[in-house]
Amino acid sequence: MYKLSTCCSMACGISLQPKMVQASLRVQKQGNGHCTNVPRNVNLEKLQSNYLFPEILKREFQHLDKYPNAKVISLGIGDTTEPIPEQITLSMANYARALSTSDGYRGYGAEQGNQALRKAIAETFYKDVLIKDTEVFVSDGSQCDISRLQLLLGSKVTIAVQDPSFPAYIDSSVIIGQAGDFQDKTGKYQNIEYMQCGAENNFFPNLATTPRTDIIFFCSPNNPTGHAATREQLQKLVEFARDNGSIIIFDTAYSAYITDDSPKSIFEIPGAKEVAIEISSFSKFAGFTGVRLGWTVVPEELLFSSGFPVINDFNRIVCTCFNGASNIAQAGGLACLSSEGFQAIRSVIDYYKENAKILVDTFSSLGLKVYGGVNAPYVWVHFPGSKSWNVFAEILEKTHIITVPGSGFGPGGAEYIRISAFGQRERIIEASRRLQKLFSQEKQPLLNPV
C-alpha cells in the first residue's frame, strides 16, 4: 500500500482537485456589457467545468510557464506521433491535387460516405459477420458519432456506462439533457448507471446486480484501462441486452491493438445485430487523429420498440446534421485498407505496442500494479490510497511527464493514472528512465508505505 505525500505543486497555485468533479460554476455578468434575453442552456450548466483533455493541456502550459526550459514528455492525451505511411498520404495528396483539374474536381459526397470506402470497411472488418456496406456510415470520427447517436436516441432514454470510461459518453449525455444533476458526494450524475469495471471484477460489470437501462455504452479495448473484453464476457453482455431490450453502443476505436482471441467486433457475438451499434475510428490504428475519419455500423436488424428500424432514423440524423466526411480523408481511408496500406499500418501499431511493453515493464519493475498495455495503447497504473490528480501533479512536477489522472474517467479511476504509449521511442525510453529514478529513490516522498 502506498500513499502520496503533499505535492509541492500546491505552492505554485495549481489546484490538485480535479475540475471534472467540482461543482459547476455559473457564469456571472461582468461589467456593463449588453446581455441578451436568451437563457443559457441549463444542461451545459451541469457539465463539470472543463472537458478532461483540454484541462490536461492547460496544466501542461502552466507547467511550462513555471519551467520554460523543461523537456516535457507528453504521455497523456492519446494522440498518435508516428508519421502516416507514405502510400496513404500520397493517396490523399493525389486526390487533393486532382481537385485542381476539371476531371478530378468533386464537390459534396454522399452523407453516408464514399461507397467504395463503405464497402472496403465492411469487407476488411466485418466480412466474417456479414455486415453490409449499406450498414456502414463513414464519419469524421467516433467521438462525433457519439454525439450524433445521443441526438438519435434523445434525452428520455436511460443509460449505463463503464466506470471508468471515456468521458465523452457522460458529457454528451449531460448536454442532451439525459444525465440529471451531478452528485458531489458520489462524483456521479443522478440518472446515469455507473457499471464498476475494475481489477477486482476483471474489468467487467456484475450484470446480475446491474439495473436495466435503455442504452449501454461499452468500450473494448477499454479506454482507459486497456482491458479487452473476452468472448465470454461479451456473450454475457449481449444476452443481458437482449433480455432487457437494451441497445449497446460498442466502441472499438482500439480493436486493431488486440493480439489475443478477444473479439474485435461486438458482431462476432451471435444475436448482437439485434441489440448493438458499433462505432470505430481510423484515428488510433492509422494515425488519423488530425485527418479525422471514422465509421458507425447500424445493422438493419436493430429495431426500436415500435419495430421501426434504427438505421432509418440514424440515416436521417446523418443527412440532417452532417455533410459527409472529407473526400480527401476518405481517399486516405481507402489507401489504409489496401493490402499494402494495411500492412504498413500494422508496423506502426506494433511500434506503439512495443512502447506499451516498455512502460508496463517499467512500472511492474517498481512493484506497482499495472493493467492494460497488451491489447491497447494505454497503461493503467494503480496507486492505492492516493488521489489520481495528486499523482498526476507530482509526476509532472518532478519528472516533467504528462499523464492523465484516472478520476477524469469516473470515480472508478480515483487511485489510477493512465499512461499513453503513443510517442517516439526515445521519449518513451527517457520517460521510463525518469520514472524509475523517481520511484526507486530511497525516501522518495512520492510513494510512502502506509
mmCIF file of all heavy atoms in Angstrom, residues 152 168 212:
data_model
loop_
_atom_site.group_PDB
_atom_site.id
_atom_site.type_symbol
_atom_site.label_atom_id
_atom_site.label_comp_id
_atom_site.label_asym_id
_atom_site.label_seq_id
_atom_site.Cartn_x
_atom_site.Cartn_y
_atom_site.Cartn_z
ATOM 1 N N LEU A 152 -29.800 10.976 -31.841
ATOM 2 C CA LEU A 152 -30.706 9.936 -32.348
ATOM 3 C C LEU A 152 -31.604 9.389 -31.237
ATOM 4 O O LEU A 152 -32.817 9.235 -31.417
ATOM 5 C CB LEU A 152 -29.887 8.798 -32.964
ATOM 6 C CG LEU A 152 -30.623 7.480 -33.243
ATOM 7 C CD1 LEU A 152 -31.464 7.602 -34.506
ATOM 8 C CD2 LEU A 152 -29.645 6.323 -33.365
ATOM 9 N N ALA A 168 -16.469 11.284 -22.920
ATOM 10 C CA ALA A 168 -17.426 11.817 -23.896
ATOM 11 C C ALA A 168 -18.797 11.169 -23.773
ATOM 12 O O ALA A 168 -19.814 11.813 -24.070
ATOM 13 C CB ALA A 168 -16.897 11.632 -25.313
ATOM 14 N N ARG A 212 -31.500 -2.471 -15.262
ATOM 15 C CA ARG A 212 -31.793 -2.368 -16.681
ATOM 16 C C ARG A 212 -31.760 -0.909 -17.119
ATOM 17 O O ARG A 212 -32.290 -0.024 -16.455
ATOM 18 C CB ARG A 212 -33.176 -2.967 -16.945
ATOM 19 C CG ARG A 212 -33.550 -3.041 -18.426
ATOM 20 C CD ARG A 212 -34.566 -2.005 -18.788
ATOM 21 N NE ARG A 212 -34.806 -2.014 -20.246
ATOM 22 C CZ ARG A 212 -35.130 -0.955 -20.955
ATOM 23 N NH1 ARG A 212 -35.264 0.210 -20.342
ATOM 24 N NH2 ARG A 212 -35.311 -1.034 -22.251
#
